[in-house]
Amino acid sequence: MCIFAFYMKETDLLQLVKQRLSIDALNDMQRSVLDIWKSGGRDLVLYSPTGTGKTLAFTLCLLQALKPPMRQLQAVVMAPSRELVMQTAQVMRAISANYKVTVCYGGHDVADEKASLSVTPDVIVATPGRLLDHCKRGHIDLKGTRLLVLDEMDKALELGFEDEMRRLIKQMPRINRRILASATVLEVVPEYVRLHNPAVVDVLEKVDQPATRIQMWHVPSPEKDKLDTLCQLLLSLDGGKAIVFVNYRESVDRIYQRLKKEKADVAIYHGALEQQQRECAVAMLGNGSINVLVATDLAARGLDIDTVEHIVHYHLPVNEEAYIHRNGRTARVDATGNAYVITAPGEHVPEWIMLGKAFEMNPSRRLVRAPMATLYFQAGKKEKLSRGDIMGFIANNGGVEPATIGRIDVRDHYALAAVPRDKAQDVLASLQSAKIKGRKVRISLLR
């Protein structure tokens, strides 16, 4: 029996989706998955393209199958990257009412995770390696787990998590329902998953693929060094958020320095950064404080950022899968987007790259500035701050209308709040002497 027979009607759940995720209605895939899940006790295999809303689909299924909160682990969601873990947890926490959702992933403070696990959560969302580490340390017991979600299973196998997943699933003997989600069809589902009479929902060919909603553009560079051409391209865009993909970390830093000289609102994203730096970069792109993110292919999977209008292939992707997943960062769900392929003289272009028509450069004098700026609060969830606390604090002390305050992200030990760029310095000055929840918190502008 689904929990909403006790707590919520499905209409109430969908109202939360509308209010907290700004999604007015489920798409056909999500509706189909939810209906199949509710119809019986079968496991579910979901094959759906990147950017079509798989996370929300399996989250709704999971919430329907949870029992009332009981300080007992009920469900585990495993994903192959920290970005996917954070994305899933964000969606789940937004609509999961009174359930405790704990995240565990590499780069996150182990002590904080241990403390969070000390009060047993209802749901754990984790990377396989970090979850196995907590099990070895005795921080969590998985035996009571009834529900299991394996997200991006194709990527998890590709990255070599098979041994960790096998060992973890062996510690969950009471699983009665499983969901396996993937952007590509698996030739063989590993036996240790123990799928039972699964219902397979395969919409890879049926849904409107993101590629059909992306306008492809070819941007020839007159020189082997593409940096000047990239700058001309970005200057030619009429605003909007852009992710520039490169193949090397050194190139990320070089492009970033050049764009800063052009007065661009830009941040970087690659594997050598600290986790908090990466989280902040993604949050700033999402809340409108930057409009250009320069990244390696680490950002090609797992990031779910609203309304990224432009994808730029500064370096040609190393394979077709990388090409598809880069482009998948735009045209999310039902939106449209643009992808630009920059080529150097004589550069070989694989046949799986669609160049599209030539993009006509029309550079403006300056890059369009991002409309927001981000306030950094040196306190977060562990210091008992919530989004509501920060919203009220800024509205009451910052001299700005509540409606102009942008997205607020609260992490374990810090928080970010977007405010209008043209008022950011004044807002910061007004907040410096004020107290939030009776105490002073260090606040600065994140740059």
Side-chain angles (χ1 to χ4, degrees):
M1 183 178 294
C2 73
I3 66 160
F4 294 105
F6 302 101
Y7 284 95
M8 298 177 63
K9 297 179 181 178
E10 183 177 316
T11 53
D12 296 328
L13 177 62
L14 296 181
Q15 185 64 26
L16 276 178
V17 172
K18 181 176 181 179
Q19 291 175 350
R20 299 183 182 179
L21 300 178
S22 300
I23 297 174
D24 290 332
L26 301 184
N27 61 33
D28 291 343
M29 178 274 288
Q30 293 163 339
R31 184 75 265 171
S32 175
V33 165
L34 189 55
D35 289 343
I36 291 173
W37 179 258
K38 293 191 305 180
S39 67
R42 302 171 66 187
D43 291 342
L44 176 68
V45 176
L46 171 60
Y47 296 125
S48 188
T50 296
T52 52
K54 289 194 298 295
T55 300
L56 179 58
F58 70 67
T59 295
L60 290 171
C61 292
L62 202 64
L63 293 177
Q64 291 275 5
L66 289 177
K67 293 180 180 179
M70 57 183 69
R71 290 196 173 185
Q72 177 179 321
L73 182 62
Q74 300 190 55
V76 170
V77 180
M78 280 191 267
S81 72
R82 63 190 72 179
E83 289 78 17
L84 278 167
V85 166
M86 291 187 292
Q87 173 190 322
T88 299
Q90 182 179 12
V91 172
M92 193 165 292
R93 285 168 171 165
I95 60 174
S96 61
N98 296 319
Y99 292 103
K100 181 182 179 183
V101 179
T102 293
V103 296
C104 302
Y105 55 85
H108 198 207
D109 191 289
V110 175
D112 282 344
E113 292 182 354
K114 179 183 177 182
S116 184
L117 292 169
S118 65
V119 177
T120 305
D122 300 284
V123 182
I124 292 177
V125 187
T127 53
R130 178 53 69 90
L131 182 56
L132 185 60
D133 181 60
H134 281 297
C135 291
K136 289 178 179 178
R137 295 171 186 249
H139 297 163
I140 191 68
D141 185 347
L142 303 180
K143 287 199 299 290
T145 306
R146 298 185 305 104
L147 303 161
L148 173 66
V149 177
L150 299 174
D151 189 21
E152 295 278 12
M153 185 67 174
D154 54 341
K155 188 65 174 179
L157 295 174
E158 177 188 323
L159 292 176
F161 286 121
E162 186 158 10
D163 181 59
E164 289 91 340
M165 290 189 295
R166 180 188 291 108
R167 294 167 68 182
L168 287 165
I169 293 173
K170 190 175 182 179
Q171 298 183 46
M172 307 179 203
R174 300 175 185 173
I175 296 173
N176 54 38
R177 296 197 78 177
R178 302 160 186 81
I179 300 174
L180 187 155
S182 177
T184 60
V185 174
L186 299 176
E187 293 183 10
V188 178
V189 176
E191 186 175 343
Y192 60 80
V193 178
R194 304 197 307 269
L195 285 178
H196 173 67
N197 189 27
V200 178
V201 179
D202 183 353
V203 295
L204 291 172
E205 301 298 329
K206 297 177 183 178
V207 301
D208 182 16
Q209 295 270 3
T212 66
R213 304 192 304 274
I214 298 175
Q215 174 65 58
M216 299 300 303
W217 300 97
H218 181 205
V219 185
S221 172
E223 300 175 350
K224 185 176 181 180
D225 187 337
K226 303 175 181 179
L227 192 49
D228 286 341
T229 301
L230 172 65
C231 289
Q232 291 294 303
L233 170 61
L234 294 176
L235 287 165
S236 299
L237 301 180
D238 187 19
K241 300 171 186 174
I243 302 179
V244 179
F245 280 105
V246 302
N247 293 342
Y248 314 104
R249 294 173 183 172
E250 296 79 5
S251 300
V252 171
D253 295 330
R254 178 171 177 260
I255 292 170
Y256 172 77
Q257 295 300 331
R258 173 62 184 276
L259 293 181
K260 290 301 290 184
K261 289 183 179 179
E262 299 286 346
K263 307 300 182 183
D265 299 313
V266 58
I268 61 175
Y269 190 98
H270 58 65
L273 298 175
E274 296 292 334
Q275 180 63 26
Q276 182 173 321
Q277 292 175 300
R278 286 153 60 176
E279 291 174 0
C280 288
V282 172
M284 291 175 73
L285 185 64
N287 70 23
S289 295
I290 62 169
N291 47 27
V292 181
L293 183 69
V294 186
T296 61
D297 282 333
L298 182 65
R301 279 204 191 218
L303 300 188
D304 190 8
I305 303 169
D306 293 338
T307 60
V308 174
E309 288 88 352
H310 311 290
I311 296 299
V312 180
H313 300 275
Y314 181 83
H315 290 142
L316 299 185
V318 296
N319 54 43
E320 185 174 7
E321 182 183 22
Y323 174 67
I324 291 171
H325 285 288
R326 284 180 179 186
N327 287 342
R329 297 311 95 199
T330 189
R332 306 289 289 177
V333 188
D334 296 320
T336 58
N338 298 279
Y340 309 82
V341 179
I342 303 177
T343 60
E347 187 172 20
H348 172 69
V349 180
E351 61 181 10
W352 37 264
I353 291 182
M354 182 186 301
L355 289 178
K357 57 185 178 180
F359 182 76
E360 184 176 344
M361 299 286 201
N362 184 26
S364 59
R365 293 183 179 179
R366 296 182 61 185
L367 287 166
V368 177
R369 298 301 304 274
M372 308 295 282
T374 294
L375 297 175
Y376 177 91
F377 289 73
Q378 201 167 313
K381 294 176 184 175
K382 301 299 183 181
E383 291 73 35
K384 308 300 182 184
L385 284 189
S386 68
R387 288 186 179 88
D389 295 331
I390 294 172
M391 169 65 81
F393 174 69
I394 297 173
N396 293 329
N397 300 282
V400 291
E401 292 295 326
T404 67
I405 300 171
R407 199 175 83 185
I408 297 173
D409 293 287
V410 183
R411 306 292 185 179
D412 284 349
H413 293 293
Y414 73 93
L416 308 174
V419 296
R421 175 178 296 276
D422 59 353
K423 298 180 179 179
Q425 290 289 355
D426 292 338
V427 173
L428 178 62
S430 298
L431 298 179
Q432 295 293 1
S433 60
K435 293 182 178 181
I436 181 170
K437 297 190 77 172
R439 67 184 189 273
K440 294 289 291 294
V441 172
R442 182 175 293 180
I443 308 169
S444 59
L445 276 175
L446 193 60
R447 301 185 185 280

